[in-house]
Amino acid sequence: MGSSSSNGTGLPPFTLTGLPGLEDSQHWMFLLLGVLYTVSIVGNSLILFIVKEEQSLHQPMYYFLSLLSVNDIGVSLSTLPSVLATFCFHTQEIAFDVCMTQMYFIHFFSFTESGILLAMSFDRYVAICNPLRYSTILSDAKVAQMSLFTGIRSFCVNFPLPFLLKRLPFCKANILSHAYCLYPDLIHLPCGDVTVNSIFGLCVIISTFGLDSILILLSYVLILHSVLAIASQEERLKTLNTCVSHICAVLIFYVPMLGVSMVHRYGRYAPSYVYIFMSLIYLFVPPMLNPIIYSIKTKEIRRRLINIFAKKIPNGVTKSLT
């Protein structure tokens, strides 16, 4: 690829990477990813349908769960076009502006998910530590305000990213490490000084993921302190059980995200499959597992799912599941 200034009209395209050395069998990889996409989109759509139809689920906890499902569908749809093109049609070139747009939406949904998980931890804190004022503190208006703030924050912190990259000259072979565009990957490609980009990216991570994770941890410290004050061990376990789904959602989001960040910042000489494996876990596993976890751990959702598929499940199996 030839040299191209970021200020000119001929912005350079990028080359997406599938599975190095396995180019002839990448369509099999798409079949696997296709299963993950299907589970994610169908599972989260079912969660949205159940919460909408089940009157007993019209509570703050499930409103936040609905937001999480919408966000997970957004994550899946933002990566689907380039993954489909790379693994199924072997079309690896992606235009500069298309790449910037995809990068923006992937990170927008990532930051939004972090904010939603924080809101859900606050919901658990209020429900356990201050149950008498739960409906007052987390009114429908307050839930709407928290949701709006989460979206606005994600928009604001992501908005400068494409412009910070667009001002730089790209004169190398612009080969990405994944089948989609991620900011930590793109920041290594420009020929110019990327100090501002690195500092801004670090500040964004600290002020969003860093702050959210600290507040989530703090909320669970307070929850644990409140639970330990309960005399009955059975009541303690019952109370903590209401947090299991959220704790799982937090872990499957933050652990892969931290892994991807560490690999991109400090694993410069790591094998290419490490980059691919970590990014696949980061973007594909949480949207797939979240609806599964909440379907298993939430009795109302599980019961409604069983009712939906009751005609296909034998009566004995249906009774044992409920």
Side-chain angles (χ1 to χ4, degrees), residues 39-113:
V39 172
S40 172
I41 294 172
V42 173
N44 284 293
S45 298
L46 282 172
I47 293 289
L48 289 172
F49 173 76
I50 291 170
V51 172
K52 178 180 178 294
E53 295 295 319
E54 194 71 37
Q55 194 68 31
S56 63
L57 299 181
H58 291 181
Q59 304 173 31
M61 174 184 173
Y62 300 105
Y63 292 149
F64 289 131
L65 177 58
S66 298
L67 283 175
L68 186 64
S69 293
V70 170
N71 194 78
D72 284 341
I73 292 173
V75 171
S76 298
L77 294 180
S78 63
T79 60
L80 179 60
S82 61
V83 169
L84 179 65
T86 303
F87 287 101
C88 198
F89 299 108
H90 305 287
T91 304
Q92 294 181 280
E93 190 172 279
I94 183 171
F96 187 96
D97 288 336
V98 175
C99 188
M100 292 298 106
T101 302
Q102 184 185 53
M103 177 203 71
Y104 176 85
F105 280 106
I106 289 175
H107 290 294
F108 172 84
F109 289 121
S110 294
F111 288 120
T112 302
E113 181 145 352

Side-chain angles (χ1 to χ4, degrees), residues 267-287:
R268 207 171 271 186
Y269 302 104
S272 58
Y273 64 82
V274 174
Y275 291 87
I276 297 169
F277 180 70
M278 291 303 299
S279 67
L280 288 177
I281 293 177
Y282 169 53
L283 289 174
F284 288 87
V285 171

Side-chain angles (χ1 to χ4, degrees), residues 2-283:
S3 171
S4 178
S5 170
S6 64
N7 295 324
T9 56
L11 294 170
F14 295 97
T15 302
L16 301 168
T17 300
L19 295 174
L22 298 174
E23 288 79 5
D24 295 334
S25 58
Q26 286 187 153
H27 56 282
W28 294 109
M29 183 63 181
F30 181 75
L31 290 178
L32 172 61
L33 296 179
V35 172
L36 299 183
Y37 276 123
T38 302
V39 172
S40 172
I41 294 172
V42 173
N44 284 293
S45 298
L46 282 172
I47 293 289
L48 289 172
F49 173 76
I50 291 170
V51 172
K52 178 180 178 294
E53 295 295 319
E54 194 71 37
Q55 194 68 31
S56 63
L57 299 181
H58 291 181
Q59 304 173 31
M61 174 184 173
Y62 300 105
Y63 292 149
F64 289 131
L65 177 58
S66 298
L67 283 175
L68 186 64
S69 293
V70 170
N71 194 78
D72 284 341
I73 292 173
V75 171
S76 298
L77 294 180
S78 63
T79 60
L80 179 60
S82 61
V83 169
L84 179 65
T86 303
F87 287 101
C88 198
F89 299 108
H90 305 287
T91 304
Q92 294 181 280
E93 190 172 279
I94 183 171
F96 187 96
D97 288 336
V98 175
C99 188
M100 292 298 106
T101 302
Q102 184 185 53
M103 177 203 71
Y104 176 85
F105 280 106
I106 289 175
H107 290 294
F108 172 84
F109 289 121
S110 294
F111 288 120
T112 302
E113 181 145 352
S114 179
I116 294 170
L117 291 173
L118 175 59
M120 295 174 83
S121 72
F122 180 70
D123 169 85
R124 291 297 82 209
Y125 164 74
V126 175
I128 293 171
C129 300
N130 204 346
L132 297 179
R133 297 187 58 203
Y134 180 77
S135 58
T136 304
I137 296 174
L138 283 173
S139 61
D140 289 350
K142 185 64 68 176
V143 170
Q145 289 171 7
M146 293 170 68
S147 304
L148 184 61
F149 173 78
T150 299
I152 291 174
R153 186 190 70 163
S154 299
F155 172 81
C156 292
V157 298
N158 277 290
F159 187 75
L161 296 182
F163 299 101
L164 287 173
L165 284 169
K166 202 169 184 179
R167 69 186 178 85
L168 296 169
F170 288 83
C171 52
K172 306 179 198 175
N174 296 320
I175 301 175
L176 301 175
S177 304
H178 314 292
Y180 32 78
C181 302
L182 296 175
Y183 186 76
D185 197 14
L186 288 163
I187 201 175
H188 295 303
L189 299 179
C191 303
D193 184 10
V194 295
T195 303
V196 174
N197 300 64
S198 297
I199 293 174
F200 181 80
L202 184 61
C203 290
V204 166
I205 289 174
I206 292 173
S207 62
T208 52
F209 293 136
L211 181 61
D212 290 352
S213 59
I214 290 172
L215 292 176
I216 289 172
L217 180 61
L218 177 61
S219 69
Y220 273 101
V221 169
L222 296 174
I223 287 172
L224 188 59
H225 181 267
S226 179
V227 168
L228 291 176
I230 300 174
S232 170
Q233 184 175 356
E234 185 179 346
E235 285 298 317
R236 290 181 193 173
L237 294 175
K238 185 177 179 181
T239 303
L240 286 174
N241 191 51
T242 64
C243 302
V244 170
S245 299
H246 179 254
I247 292 172
C248 291
V250 169
L251 290 176
I252 64 175
F253 174 75
Y254 277 102
V255 172
M257 183 271 295
L258 182 61
V260 169
S261 180
M262 295 295 288
V263 165
H264 275 288
R265 286 186 177 274
Y266 304 110
R268 207 171 271 186
Y269 302 104
S272 58
Y273 64 82
V274 174
Y275 291 87
I276 297 169
F277 180 70
M278 291 303 299
S279 67
L280 288 177
I281 293 177
Y282 169 53
L283 289 174

